[in-house]
Amino acid sequence: MITTLRRRHASTPRRCSPLHVCSGVFVALLGLTLTPTALAGPYSKGADDPNNPFDAPLPGFTGPAGDGVVTAGNVVNPLFLDWATTVADYSPAPGVGAIWSDPATALGEVTGNNFHIVSLGDLDQPAIDNGDPTGTITLQFNTTIANGPGPDFATFENAFINGTATDPNTGLSFGLLFAELGYVEVSTDGSTFARFDSTSSTPTPAGGQAFLTVNPTDVHNLVGKHINAGGQSWGTPFDLSQLAGHAAVLSGQVDLFDIQYVRIIDIPGSGDYLDSHGAPIYDPWVTVDSSGVDLEAIGVIHHTFPGDINFDRTTDIGDMALIGANWNTGTTWDTADVTGDGSVDVADLAVVGANWGATYGNTARIESSPGAAVPAPTALAAALPALTLLGRRKHPS
Ligand SMILES: [Ca+2]
Ligand SMILES: [Ca+2]
Ligand SMILES: [Ca+2]
Ligand SMILES: [Ca+2]
């Protein structure tokens, strides 16, 4: 269960070695059992795999030329409501080329341009053995990310095809990738982060691996596993609902309906860094210049709009029904607490009423037309007495 407690100024952040999974350490301390999402795969291919049940790549561009195709006439996928707007922190590993060191490059819409990136840098074995920090970047958004149905945001790296393999089921070939991988974490307050469980079953490299090919169907929930180069643009989806059992979410420190930060942590692919199951992660290593994760963009799919409890981008009877269903019992956005005070009552009803009929799209932050100009609808007026009665029944005085 998720609470709506929002600690904007959380206590001292937990410090976690990159060699371990933060949540695992924390939960172990509590004496509980951590069960990472045990998904068997095969995970999605690097491009155009819409039916993969785990992590179907999301096209950065859509239009008459087809999904994921970067060309004149196609447009940035309107699935994405928003894009990163602010660099909260950029701490690359040493050695990133100057032209790949501008973190603002990761802000704004996806471009599909594999040179329009900021690099996080890589670590060689002595640096890893020394415990040097890996490169990271933390981005913020104009509007917070929320846990709606399905994936809630997507990361765009600049992975490209660097080999081929054959799908055993279809006999069709697909691309193996030059994929520089990283962990993905989210935060409400910028202090406490929750990391997505990840999987990497890439076989141990036989030798030099500076140009290691990664089979994307072996990799899950790591930034960098989808193609965003050479005229193709595909983002890696992340679904906040997968963090519902994370200790920081359960404690209320991370609110899945109020995510304000996304942090990317590069993984030097030596095998020293592990997935959530304890398996070593391999990727091209050691890379130089535009080394490590090359972040191009982060797109937002879901954020909360006033009164739109069910994330269908309009405030109407569907949301009103959720108010009724959760009257006096709801505690989170998806259980109709749109005011964030931990209960569902007339204050939440008022928000829905005030925004009745508003519709929200890509520019919804400014185009929403709720408020006094919209007369109280008949449906709302009719629902009010019933809801009030419902409230009285549940809490007799
Ligand atoms: Ca979701
Ligand atoms: Ca890259
Ligand atoms: Ca709605
Ligand atoms: Ca409320």
mmCIF file of all heavy atoms in Angstrom, residues 14 45 68 101 170 255 298:
data_model
loop_
_atom_site.group_PDB
_atom_site.id
_atom_site.type_symbol
_atom_site.label_atom_id
_atom_site.label_comp_id
_atom_site.label_asym_id
_atom_site.label_seq_id
_atom_site.Cartn_x
_atom_site.Cartn_y
_atom_site.Cartn_z
ATOM 1 N N ARG A 14 20.027 7.379 2.397
ATOM 2 C CA ARG A 14 20.823 6.169 2.543
ATOM 3 C C ARG A 14 21.947 6.163 1.531
ATOM 4 O O ARG A 14 21.770 6.551 0.394
ATOM 5 C CB ARG A 14 19.940 4.933 2.345
ATOM 6 C CG ARG A 14 18.980 4.706 3.463
ATOM 7 C CD ARG A 14 18.098 3.517 3.174
ATOM 8 N NE ARG A 14 17.076 3.851 2.224
ATOM 9 C CZ ARG A 14 16.970 3.291 1.031
ATOM 10 N NH1 ARG A 14 17.828 2.373 0.654
ATOM 11 N NH2 ARG A 14 16.008 3.630 0.220
ATOM 12 N N LYS A 45 13.234 -6.694 -28.055
ATOM 13 C CA LYS A 45 14.308 -6.378 -28.987
ATOM 14 C C LYS A 45 14.588 -4.876 -28.929
ATOM 15 O O LYS A 45 13.879 -4.123 -28.275
ATOM 16 C CB LYS A 45 13.912 -6.820 -30.391
ATOM 17 C CG LYS A 45 13.662 -8.324 -30.503
ATOM 18 C CD LYS A 45 13.270 -8.704 -31.922
ATOM 19 C CE LYS A 45 13.162 -10.225 -32.067
ATOM 20 N NZ LYS A 45 12.051 -10.798 -31.243
ATOM 21 N N GLY A 68 8.809 4.962 -34.824
ATOM 22 C CA GLY A 68 10.236 4.913 -34.535
ATOM 23 C C GLY A 68 11.126 5.429 -35.635
ATOM 24 O O GLY A 68 12.348 5.428 -35.480
ATOM 25 N N SER A 101 29.847 16.717 -22.714
ATOM 26 C CA SER A 101 29.771 17.017 -21.282
ATOM 27 C C SER A 101 28.738 18.067 -20.921
ATOM 28 O O SER A 101 28.763 18.584 -19.810
ATOM 29 C CB SER A 101 31.145 17.495 -20.777
ATOM 30 O OG SER A 101 32.111 16.485 -20.929
ATOM 31 N N THR A 170 10.732 -16.981 -34.562
ATOM 32 C CA THR A 170 10.276 -16.521 -35.877
ATOM 33 C C THR A 170 11.277 -16.812 -36.987
ATOM 34 O O THR A 170 10.922 -16.775 -38.172
ATOM 35 C CB THR A 170 10.022 -15.003 -35.859
ATOM 36 O OG1 THR A 170 11.282 -14.333 -35.648
ATOM 37 C CG2 THR A 170 9.044 -14.626 -34.750
ATOM 38 N N ASP A 255 6.898 8.998 -3.418
ATOM 39 C CA ASP A 255 5.471 8.984 -3.755
ATOM 40 C C ASP A 255 5.336 8.729 -5.251
ATOM 41 O O ASP A 255 5.742 9.551 -6.073
ATOM 42 C CB ASP A 255 4.864 10.337 -3.375
ATOM 43 C CG ASP A 255 3.359 10.416 -3.657
ATOM 44 O OD1 ASP A 255 2.826 9.536 -4.388
ATOM 45 O OD2 ASP A 255 2.730 11.362 -3.165
ATOM 46 N N ILE A 298 14.558 12.159 -21.719
ATOM 47 C CA ILE A 298 13.626 11.388 -20.894
ATOM 48 C C ILE A 298 12.237 11.960 -21.117
ATOM 49 O O ILE A 298 11.995 13.147 -20.894
ATOM 50 C CB ILE A 298 13.984 11.447 -19.394
ATOM 51 C CG1 ILE A 298 15.375 10.842 -19.143
ATOM 52 C CG2 ILE A 298 12.930 10.708 -18.566
ATOM 53 C CD1 ILE A 298 15.825 10.910 -17.693
#
